Amino acid sequence: MAGRKVVQRGYATSTVSMPRKDIHPLRELAKRFCLAFIMLAGSTLIVWLDRDAYVDNVRGDGVSFIDALYYSTVTMTTTGYGDITPLAPHARLLNAILITPMRIGFLVVLVGTTIAVLANQGNRIIRDLQWRSAMRNHVVVIGYGTKGRSAINTLRRHGEKDARIVVIDNSDVAVNEANLDGLAAFLGDATQRELLRRAEISKARKIIICLSRDDAAILTTLTVRQLNPGAAIVVSVREKENVPLVRQSGATSVVTSSDTVGRLMGLSAVGPELGSIIQDLLTAGTGLEVSQRQAAPHEVGQSPTSLLHDRVIGIIRGGTLRRFYDSTAARIETGDQLIVVRRAQHRETGRDSEE
């Protein structure tokens, strides 16, 4: 998952997750090897410049540059054959205050970091494979801005689990925020097929596209539809003129943000109360809310107007929307989906909210 850890709600959500760049493991290992080489070269230079203070106990012919490199190598790796040793007091002091700390740093950098990098990369690969193998019928939200967050909160209120929601955004900050909100997230451009495949877009049942630019939304919609011919794709665009292009690209539903805001403002100008009702329907958690649900068995055969707590404004039957004034929607049938207006309820307790 692009190295992003899914933070479970209620655990470690108070800690700060700073943006960070993913570093390729081979590049990270190369940096560590370079640092280890610099320490080895420094040790060799120290010994060679002070070679008269060292003695070769085997050959007895002095200490050459090769001998200095050999001594530094066996010392850094803590092998210590003892054939070359510091003899003068100052050489032993330099070994204590310089060579020994360098030896410890060499081991930490070369061995410890190498193991950590390989282990972390392996764990990331395993977690990614486990996540991908388990992900089916999920919801992919492309764009974790204001619209994307609002869409996800609405899905949550209608029973969608966080584990079945995946975020894609090209902002590192947005991806970290999605992680802290308990969501799996991918960092990258949603028009890239490989990224969409990693998010298992072909197995998703719903895709919500909330991008800031209409041209990017159109290209993303076209790419997503090619990878997943059967999913429901909801797209947000800024300009009404782009709606036909988005529909031709494969969108199931298109929401025009500027047109919707303008209509709400016009209704509020006609009558403040009318605007308040419309905004109430669009605002989750208080007052009224619009919901879609399966018709209950005891409701089959009843008139939509006879329901006590819900006001039915539409019935989805056989994939076709039938509004409340349609004569074919006079009775609820088995398998119907009801679009209702009802009093908002708390998500956690299910009790009616207080205004």
Side-chain angles (χ1 to χ4, degrees):
M1 286 168 18
R4 305 295 173 192
K5 179 181 179 182
V6 178
V7 180
Q8 296 297 325
R9 189 176 298 277
Y11 294 92
T13 55
S14 60
T15 59
V16 178
S17 178
M18 298 299 295
R20 60 187 183 277
K21 294 183 179 179
D22 289 332
I23 301 177
H24 195 281
L26 294 180
R27 182 180 300 177
E28 189 70 12
L29 289 177
K31 289 173 57 178
R32 298 304 189 269
F33 274 113
C34 289
L35 184 58
F37 177 79
I38 291 173
M39 287 190 288
L40 181 61
S43 174
T44 301
L45 185 62
I46 291 173
V47 174
W48 185 67
L49 291 176
D50 197 29
R51 55 188 177 276
D52 293 337
Y54 289 79
V55 60
D56 187 340
N57 296 316
V58 177
R59 302 181 61 179
D61 58 351
V63 177
S64 65
F65 181 79
I66 299 299
D67 294 330
L69 177 60
Y70 164 76
Y71 172 81
S72 296
T73 302
V74 298
T75 300
M76 287 290 185
T77 57
T78 68
T79 304
Y81 292 115
D83 49 350
I84 299 177
T85 57
L87 185 62
H90 76 273
R92 296 187 177 186
L93 181 61
L94 287 175
N95 267 262
I97 64 176
L98 290 179
I99 304 299
T100 298
M102 290 172 66
R103 178 193 306 147
I104 297 173
F106 182 89
L107 293 175
V108 170
V109 169
L110 187 60
V111 180
T113 306
T114 300
I115 294 175
V117 169
L118 292 177
N120 290 337
Q121 182 66 10
N123 288 335
R124 288 169 56 183
I125 293 174
I126 292 174
R127 288 197 304 267
D128 185 73
L129 291 175
Q130 290 176 341
W131 180 87
R132 293 181 61 181
S133 63
M135 195 54 55
R136 299 287 190 282
N137 297 321
H138 55 295
V139 180
V140 179
V141 179
I142 301 175
Y144 199 64
T146 302
K147 291 181 288 186
R149 290 188 182 92
S150 180
I152 289 174
N153 289 334
T154 301
L155 291 173
R156 284 168 166 166
R157 289 187 58 83
H158 285 78
E160 196 70 52
K161 303 298 183 182
D162 286 354
R164 314 306 299 178
I165 301 175
V166 183
V167 171
I168 299 177
D169 200 289
N170 58 5
S171 167
D172 203 0
V173 175
V175 168
N176 280 320
E177 290 177 351
N179 290 159
L180 293 176
D181 288 341
L183 302 171
F186 287 87
L187 175 65
D189 185 356
T191 61
Q192 300 298 319
R193 293 175 179 270
E194 181 57 31
L195 177 61
L196 294 175
R197 290 190 181 99
R198 290 173 58 198
E200 297 295 337
I201 201 80
S202 62
K203 301 174 184 176
R205 75 176 189 277
K206 296 178 183 177
I207 297 100
I208 301 175
I209 301 174
C210 306
L211 299 176
S212 57
R213 294 178 50 180
D214 287 0
D215 55 348
I218 294 170
L219 181 57
T220 302
T221 304
L222 182 61
T223 307
V224 168
R225 178 54 76 197
Q226 289 178 344
L227 294 175
N228 190 331
I233 302 178
V234 181
V235 185
S236 169
V237 295
R238 297 175 63 88
E239 302 299 332
K240 186 176 181 180
E241 291 77 8
N242 294 323
V243 172
L245 289 175
V246 180
R247 291 193 181 277
Q248 291 175 12
S249 299
T252 308
S253 178
V254 183
V255 178
T256 311
S257 57
S258 58
D259 190 58
T260 301
V261 172
R263 181 167 175 77
L264 179 58
M265 294 178 66
L267 291 173
S268 299
V270 171
E273 296 79 8
L274 178 58
S276 297
I277 288 292
I278 300 300
Q279 189 164 2
D280 185 11
L281 292 172
L282 298 175
T283 304
T286 59
L288 301 174
E289 66 178 5
V290 181
S291 179
Q292 179 178 330
R293 65 174 178 84
Q294 184 72 37
H298 70 273
E299 296 172 338
V300 174
Q302 296 187 33
S303 169
T305 59
S306 65
L307 302 187
L308 295 178
H309 302 291
D310 295 342
R311 297 295 181 264
V312 180
I313 59 176
I315 295 178
I316 303 174
R317 181 179 302 156
T320 303
L321 173 63
R322 306 164 191 266
R323 292 171 173 80
F324 70 94
Y325 53 77
D326 195 324
S327 60
T328 61
R331 290 288 183 270
I332 300 174
E333 298 181 3
T334 302
D336 283 351
Q337 290 276 333
L338 307 183
I339 299 177
V340 301
V341 176
R342 59 188 176 189
R343 189 176 185 181
Q345 295 178 332
H346 288 295
R347 183 186 178 197
E348 294 81 6
T349 63
R351 296 174 302 176
D352 289 341
S353 62
E354 298 297 333
E355 302 246 27

